[in-house]
Amino acid sequence: MTAEVPPEQVAEALRDVARLGGFFALDTVAPAPFHERGGALRDGFADRARAVNDRFGTAETRVGVSVAHLGLAARLWSPVLACALVHGIVPTMSGVEWSGDGTDLRLVGPRGRLAARLPSPLEAVLAEADGVLREVERGLTVKVAPGLLAGNSASALVGSAAQLLRTRPALRGPLTRLTRELLDTGRLRGTGRITGPGPTFRRNSCCLYYRAPGGGKCGDCCLTP
């Protein structure tokens, strides 16, 4: 039997998890005739990174890149993780693009697959969140340490898991297992460790937010005592 899910079912699952708020929101739209992918993530990321630098008043370009990258990672991980655990659907994120000039995303032509019918649901979840994020990274023109970028992805994953657990506490068992398994897969392996049931996380790298004027250290930062 096919793992493919009807587009309307994927869209409904995404609308449902969007009610969790914050980074879980991902609008869906049907592709228009001759739809231009001018909002593709790689194309627009540099503008978002510059906006971060402008907001914090720093000329250190890698700070803007890292902070914007961390925010994008959260917007990718959150709906993928929630859809997989709440609805058993892994949305196909290759159609994700920027929605307008801000940091919101939308999914053009929603598609997805049933996790239970996939050879490796774990790898599918990783590919649709971290894999899409890595595509953006390939377009970076600013040198940022690969370990920092991997740490951002891991931090966003655990942050998304913690928020999902707060709203859906009955998911603790499968959510904890999936999060731990993801953190032991691909480039996420070695990025940090789960330190508590929140789940809380201590990463082995720093997102550089502390280098922005008025910035500080995040709760999972390796520089925090």
Side-chain angles (χ1 to χ4, degrees), residues 85 161 165 171-182 194 197 199:
L85 285 165
L165 183 60
L171 290 175
R172 177 175 292 278
L175 176 58
T176 300
R177 284 192 298 273
L178 179 58
T179 302
R180 288 185 178 275
E181 289 171 357
L182 285 165
I194 297 290

Side-chain angles (χ1 to χ4, degrees), residues 59-133:
E60 191 173 357
T61 53
R62 66 188 185 126
V63 172
V65 168
S66 178
V67 173
H69 176 270
L70 181 58
L72 175 59
R75 290 190 178 278
L76 292 170
W77 273 115
S78 296
V80 171
L81 198 63
C83 273
L85 285 165
V86 177
H87 293 280
I89 295 173
V90 181
T92 301
M93 300 290 278
S94 57
V96 168
E97 62 180 29
W98 301 107
S99 179
D101 295 329
T103 58
D104 291 344
L105 304 179
R106 66 181 183 179
L107 182 60
V108 180
R111 294 181 295 120
R113 296 167 295 167
L114 287 174
R117 294 182 184 172
L118 294 173
S120 175
L122 177 73
E123 291 184 7
V125 169
L126 184 69
E128 300 301 346
D130 189 61
V132 173
L133 188 65

Side-chain angles (χ1 to χ4, degrees), residues 49-66:
R50 280 192 293 270
V52 171
N53 280 103
D54 291 344
R55 184 165 72 249
F56 289 119
T58 177
E60 191 173 357
T61 53
R62 66 188 185 126
V63 172
V65 168
S66 178

Side-chain angles (χ1 to χ4, degrees), residues 27-52:
D27 288 338
T28 59
V29 294
F34 310 110
H35 176 73
E36 295 184 4
R37 297 300 297 278
L41 293 185
R42 283 179 65 169
D43 296 343
F45 181 79
D47 292 337
R48 275 74 185 179
R50 280 192 293 270
V52 171

